[in-house]
Amino acid sequence: MIRLSAILLATLIVVNLNAQMNASDAAALESTVDDARIVDNSLQPEYERAKRVYTHLISATYLRVTAKLFPAKKAYQQMLREHEASAFVHTQLASLNMEMFDLPTAEQHCHRAIEIDPEVPMPYYLLGEVMIWRYGNAKHRDKWDDIVSAFQKVIQLDPDHYGFGKNGRPFSAYNYLGEIAEQMGDYQSAANAFKELVRIMPYQPMYYLRLGGLYNQLDNKQEAITTYERAIKINRNLWRAHDALWKLCVDQYDRLYQEDQLEAAAEHLQKAIHSYSELKRLVPPANHKHTHDNELLAQFRARLGSLYVVLERESEAIEVLEEALEITPNNPDTNYWLGIAYQEIGNLEQAEHYLRATIALSPEREEAYNALGYFFAEHGTNLDEAVRLIQIALKKSPANGAYLDSLGWAYFKQGKLNDALKQLEKAVSYMPDSVEVQDHLGEVYLKKGLKKEALAAWQKAIQLSPGNTAILEKLKKHGQE
């Protein structure tokens, strides 16, 4: 019997030689072959047969490499006359007939190759491809199970199935299994298939793109983000990955913010800003759908700045907000949060500037009136204006406990203790769990000589914030008097 390993070796040698030929080399070789004197000494019968097989194999391989498909097919068929039970030759004929778009014949050769040697994966793979070409549309969905079975057999025989076609494009049974599962709406099976491709070829970003999309379909947002980030790590210029990533990060920011996970929310918003900025740089004009890029980036930066203020990361807040202001200087959110950030670090001039700018840009923004009014009250300046500003805010939201607290504190700084007490008692009815309101109420009670009530307010405050050293100091000082 002819050894197929030798046949395969001969094939590889010929393919390698022909792959290096240019057209003139090939023509010269054909001329040389035609002119050469053929030596044909007699061989023993079994070797004569082997010689014929090798001759047909070399001829078929050469003809196929030089795109002479019909003569190549004839040469393979001559090999079958010598050795019909060759799974290798049937596989080659299946592949060749696919190139010639003779799909029924290709399918027959696949089945014959599988019949001869059912432990070789390639005939199953070719069979799956032939069936996709023949039955891959919706009209033949009854055939899809057979297609899936063929590709599943491939990965059963070769769990790491992967290769490259003549055009240099990668191929794998996992790829087809993932595509089919996704078309059928089985996103988990599709994700499993592309996870295998990522395992086998961890530096192919296209598989991460597909896997990220499937995780998104499965509502596994964090896995989708991690997967897109991996694709970008391999190739930072993948605009489709950046496009998917910024949207996912904004979604995660919204969820985390609602859950009061502010550090994590800030991290995701930072990623969204980065990916959206990269998208602007990379995306082809024909694919660009966002006409208000600068405004959107400014909104993201304003949100991030506000988070940094709440997280007491004022210097980072100022940095990101000033970046936003360079793009959209008339954005009320950016001006407002810059004012608050500067207020927190004690830069009074800048705080007043940006809060006044906010009111000028957005007169209906009630929290800006309250913030500027409270700012004046806290520092004991412009107290008449402080009262007027806070009253504007209260006119818009009369049941807002924070605004009532601000007004009460402004009256306290003016020395109007009865007015202050009235507003702060109303504030505490709306915000009984506010440490700041309880603290202000205690100060007013103490100033009015109501020490017992003051201590009670501070006791309530310390229950709400057990580690508050300022409140503890007041209790210690006034409780011993």
Side-chain angles (χ1 to χ4, degrees), residues 214-428:
L214 289 163
Y215 279 138
N216 196 18
Q217 290 281 5
L218 291 165
D219 205 32
N220 193 340
K221 306 294 186 186
Q222 195 54 54
E223 280 293 339
I225 288 171
T226 302
T227 304
Y228 284 124
E229 285 177 332
R230 178 59 181 157
I232 291 167
K233 191 173 182 180
I234 297 168
N235 182 353
R236 65 187 183 90
N237 292 327
L238 286 173
W239 70 266
R240 293 186 187 280
H242 285 294
D243 191 28
L245 189 57
W246 80 263
K247 295 169 186 171
L248 281 164
C249 286
V250 169
D251 286 345
Q252 286 296 86
Y253 155 78
D254 288 335
R255 180 184 65 80
L256 292 163
Y257 185 82
Q258 292 297 325
E259 294 173 0
D260 207 29
Q261 298 183 51
L262 300 187
E263 288 284 1
E267 180 185 343
H268 281 81
L269 196 51
Q270 211 171 13
K271 290 178 181 180
I273 290 169
H274 173 74
S275 276
Y276 195 82
S277 300
E278 287 296 286
L279 177 66
K280 280 183 61 184
R281 179 178 69 85
L282 296 168
V283 68
N287 297 90
H288 200 56
K289 300 176 183 177
H290 307 289
T291 55
H292 304 291
D293 298 309
N294 291 340
E295 289 85 351
L296 192 58
L297 272 174
Q299 287 176 28
F300 289 162
R301 288 192 171 105
R303 288 191 209 175
L304 183 59
S306 71
L307 273 177
Y308 284 153
V309 171
V310 174
L311 293 166
E312 299 180 358
R313 294 162 60 177
E314 289 86 3
S315 60
E316 292 171 89
I318 290 169
E319 181 181 353
V320 74
L321 289 166
E322 286 183 341
E323 286 177 1
L325 210 62
E326 288 177 8
I327 300 170
T328 53
N330 295 327
N331 185 290
D333 285 341
T334 308
N335 280 276
Y336 175 75
W337 285 108
L338 259 176
I340 299 298
Y342 277 119
Q343 182 180 340
E344 291 296 322
I345 65 170
N347 189 328
L348 309 186
E349 183 180 345
Q350 289 287 71
E352 181 179 350
H353 169 77
Y354 285 111
L355 288 172
R356 288 194 185 278
T358 305
I359 292 170
L361 291 166
S362 181
E364 73 283 355
R365 191 179 186 120
E366 61 193 54
E367 67 269 29
Y369 292 97
N370 176 68
L372 184 58
Y374 184 76
F375 167 75
F376 288 146
E378 186 71 6
H379 293 91
T381 61
N382 301 337
L383 292 176
D384 290 340
E385 185 181 4
V387 169
R388 181 180 62 78
L389 288 166
I390 298 166
Q391 285 174 335
I392 292 172
L394 272 169
K395 189 174 182 181
K396 297 175 183 292
S397 295
N400 188 303
Y403 299 171
L404 290 164
D405 173 65
S406 297
L407 185 58
W409 196 237
Y411 282 142
F412 174 75
K413 289 298 184 80
Q414 286 182 321
K416 298 178 180 179
L417 299 183
N418 290 333
D419 290 336
L421 185 59
K422 179 181 177 182
Q423 299 302 323
L424 288 167
E425 285 178 340
K426 285 171 67 176
V428 84

Side-chain angles (χ1 to χ4, degrees), residues 25-93:
D25 292 334
L29 179 61
E30 286 184 5
S31 174
T32 302
V33 170
D34 290 340
D35 295 339
R37 210 161 45 86
I38 299 173
V39 178
D40 191 10
N41 296 330
S42 298
L43 297 171
Q44 295 180 14
E46 64 271 24
Y47 294 124
E48 281 288 347
R49 182 164 172 263
K51 184 184 78 170
R52 290 193 300 273
V53 170
Y54 283 131
T55 301
H56 295 316
L57 174 59
I58 292 169
S59 174
T61 305
Y62 171 75
L63 291 166
R64 190 171 181 186
V65 168
T66 54
K68 297 174 180 177
L69 301 186
F70 283 98
K73 181 176 179 179
K74 184 177 179 181
Y76 280 124
Q77 288 170 336
Q78 288 172 330
M79 286 180 67
L80 282 185
R81 293 191 190 99
E82 299 289 345
H83 188 53
E84 197 284 330
S86 169
F88 169 79
V89 177
H90 282 289
T91 302
Q92 294 304 308
L93 276 166

Side-chain angles (χ1 to χ4, degrees), residues 460-474:
K460 174 67 174 176
I462 209 64
Q463 289 172 14
L464 295 167
S465 178
N468 192 313
T469 54
I471 303 294
L472 285 170
E473 193 64 33
K474 291 177 184 181

